[in-house]
């Protein structure tokens, strides 16, 4: 069974939720990295921020998970 296609307004709402949630984290990151002295620590912090963003996108865009196609069918 296919999931219904979200409307453009629903997609915009999800995008706004993701971006507003990441805004505070990005501001914290920028403030904490203003006086960074180690390039490797800075790169690790950027990667952590990117992972957090990717995780939010992956978890918030899909909504509820679909049923497994491989689950054992009850008869």
């Amino acid at each position: 069974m296919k999931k219904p296609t979200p409307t453009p307004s629903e997609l915009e709402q999800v995008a706004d939720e993701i971006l507003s949630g990441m805004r505070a984290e990005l501001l914290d990151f920028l403030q904490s990295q203003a006086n960074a002295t180690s390039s490797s620590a800075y790169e690790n912090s950027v990667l952590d921020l990117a992972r957090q963003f990717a995780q939010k996108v992956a978890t918030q865009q899909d909504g509820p998970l679909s049923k497994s196609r491989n689950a054992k069918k009850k008869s």
Side-chain angles (χ1 to χ4, degrees):
M1 180 175 181
K2 257 187 171 176
K3 286 195 254 180
T5 305
T7 64
S9 63
E10 290 173 335
L11 292 175
E12 284 185 32
Q13 182 181 7
V14 171
D16 289 341
E17 290 173 7
I18 294 169
L19 293 174
S20 66
M22 285 302 297
R23 181 177 176 81
E25 293 178 35
L26 179 60
L27 289 172
D28 290 342
F29 168 78
L30 292 173
Q31 289 173 351
S32 70
Q33 298 300 319
N35 298 322
T37 56
S38 169
S39 62
S40 62
Y42 177 79
E43 289 174 4
N44 286 333
S45 297
V46 169
L47 290 174
D48 289 340
L49 185 65
R51 285 185 198 106
Q52 289 174 359
F53 181 74
Q55 182 180 13
K56 283 192 180 211
V57 169
T59 57
Q60 289 185 359
Q61 77 176 359
D62 288 339
L65 295 175
S66 58
K67 293 181 181 178
S68 172
R69 298 172 108 193
N70 296 325
K72 186 175 181 179
K73 294 181 182 181
K74 293 181 182 179
S75 26

